[in-house]
Amino acid sequence: MTANPISSATATAADAARRNRPQPALSVTGLRKSYGDHVVLDGVDLTVAEGTIFSLLGPNGAGKTTMVQILSTLVRPDAGEIRVAGHDVARQPDEVRAAIGVTGQFSAVDRLLTGEENLLLMADLHHLGRRAGRRRAEELLERFDLVAVARKIAATYSGGMRRRLDLAMTLVGDPRIIFLDEPTTGLDPRSRRDVWQNIRTLVAGGVTVFLTTQYLDEADHLADRIALLDRGKLVAEGTPDELKRRIPGGHVRLQFADAGELDLAAHALDAAVRDDDALTLRVPHDGGVHALRALLARLDDASIEVANLTVHTPDLDDVFFALTGKAGTDHEKEPVR
């Protein structure tokens, strides 16, 4: 029987496409973890693309830290298939550890050592060799703006400086994937923004960042995709904008110069909520450009003049509380093992 050359070529092209398809930095299927009768993670599935920032949100006790501990090989799952940087976490933990860096909630900086000594210690742990380790330490001190304090003990550093040093120490081994578990907790706003810029720089260089945070604005500013974890289950996932669009409450606020224009607009827009004192209408709106254009076109067709217009869309706080409820922050914390 003669093989069909067209079918063979198509199959070869499909195989090549599968081989060339970018491999996810992380893939998790059916992840479960319990401590006794307390279920911490209950059938979690997620995928993180290479060179992106993925943020895991959730109330205290939702399972975020346990997730990071499992992905970084510190805790064994009860069930699930987990691959990090293409390696199976259960069968290839050494390969996973070689590909990742971890910055936990609490700084790993030794405060009795200088910044330079902390970095050289990490270089020794990564077996870089004396010359290569010193060169790597110098690069990172420069990169994180720590050259001026490199030979001062870390106990004299500000919180932001210690956090920058902590990130620098994570990068000594040149990891492909970095886990940041609430990296800006306790920092002042300026130090937080410095850390944000460092994270963006890392991703621009091809690093993948897996971020857990209690600060919803942090996830909104940084993350390419966000997953919301509640009571051990993923209850939502998407880009920040996609998640916000899932929550009702978006609206356009139209303000008019006088009561006559307000009356005309109120008749033209049936679903609007009227405020006569403020001369405003509140019109339900999804925040999309197409819908806004349609609204303005209706007003223009009716020759109605708008004095002022503002668009209000739900933020991640709205998403968080809508999907988890206020009681979510009072969940029992997962055991630390």
Side-chain angles (χ1 to χ4, degrees):
M1 182 175 179
T2 304
N4 186 330
I6 297 177
S7 299
S8 299
T10 302
T12 301
D15 291 340
R18 281 192 291 271
R19 287 194 298 271
N20 294 329
R21 188 178 300 149
Q23 188 178 56
L26 303 168
S27 63
V28 176
T29 305
L31 174 58
R32 297 181 182 276
K33 181 64 182 177
S34 299
Y35 292 106
D37 294 331
H38 180 59
V39 179
V40 179
L41 296 170
D42 188 8
V44 174
D45 299 332
L46 63 83
T47 301
V48 179
E50 284 189 336
T52 64
I53 301 174
F54 185 95
S55 183
L56 185 66
L57 302 179
N60 289 336
K64 301 186 302 297
T65 295
T66 298
M67 173 80 79
V68 171
Q69 290 173 334
I70 289 172
L71 293 174
S72 58
T73 75
L74 297 176
V75 170
R76 293 183 65 87
D78 296 332
E81 183 177 340
I82 308 155
R83 300 189 74 83
V84 176
H87 304 295
D88 186 284
V89 168
R91 294 192 289 269
Q92 300 170 296
D94 290 341
E95 288 85 345
V96 171
R97 292 174 195 136
I100 67 172
V102 182
T103 298
Q105 295 180 33
F106 306 103
S107 175
V109 171
D110 188 326
R111 297 190 179 202
L112 299 180
L113 299 179
T114 68
E116 182 180 54
E117 287 168 343
N118 269 283
L119 289 169
L120 291 175
L121 176 60
M122 291 301 297
D124 287 342
L125 293 174
H126 284 280
H127 309 291
L128 292 187
R130 184 177 181 83
R131 182 176 297 177
R134 185 162 295 278
R135 184 167 59 249
R136 184 64 172 155
E138 290 173 354
E139 291 171 357
L140 291 169
L141 288 167
E142 178 73 30
R143 181 173 180 177
F144 286 89
D145 194 23
L146 293 169
V147 173
V149 295
R151 298 192 176 179
K152 294 182 179 180
I153 62 171
T156 66
Y157 287 15
S158 67
M161 290 165 62
R162 277 196 298 274
R163 209 45 165 162
R164 296 206 307 272
L165 178 58
D166 206 14
L167 279 172
M169 292 166 62
T170 301
L171 294 178
V172 168
D174 199 21
R176 295 163 52 192
I177 301 168
I178 297 177
F179 295 97
L180 301 180
D181 192 10
E182 301 189 17
T184 61
T185 298
L187 296 186
D188 60 80
R190 182 172 181 176
S191 296
R192 285 179 66 207
R193 299 219 171 236
D194 288 342
V195 172
W196 291 1
Q197 186 54 50
N198 286 320
I199 292 172
R200 291 189 184 101
T201 301
L202 291 173
V203 175
V207 173
T208 302
V209 171
F210 188 100
L211 170 72
T212 73
T213 179
Q214 293 282 6
Y215 299 120
L216 302 184
D217 64 323
E218 184 162 272
D220 203 356
H221 278 88
L222 291 176
D224 298 295
R225 291 188 68 79
I226 294 172
L228 183 56
L229 189 67
D230 187 35
R231 295 177 177 87
K233 293 180 178 289
L234 283 187
V235 295
E237 184 181 348
T239 68
D241 287 341
E242 287 171 348
L243 293 179
K244 292 172 195 174
R245 284 198 293 269
R246 293 180 55 173
I247 305 303
H251 64 276
V252 173
R253 183 177 182 269
L254 304 171
Q255 188 170 38
F256 302 91
D258 55 56
E261 292 292 333
L262 175 62
D263 285 337
L264 290 172
H267 284 94
L269 305 170
D270 297 335
V273 176
R274 179 170 176 161
D275 184 337
D276 288 280
D277 292 333
L279 295 175
T280 63
L281 288 179
R282 175 172 165 163
V283 184
H285 191 265
D286 65 3
V289 174
H290 179 74
L292 182 58
R293 285 176 177 163
L295 172 62
L296 295 176
R298 288 181 66 185
L299 294 170
D300 190 52
D301 290 343
S303 300
I304 299 171
E305 292 289 335
V306 178
N308 190 28
L309 178 152
T310 53
V311 179
H312 299 261
T313 57
D315 58 20
L316 285 182
D317 286 288
D318 298 315
V319 175
F320 186 92
F321 289 116
L323 295 178
T324 68
K326 291 183 179 180
T329 57
D330 297 325
H331 295 168
E332 180 184 358
K333 291 185 178 181
E334 64 264 24
V336 177
R337 300 287 174 88

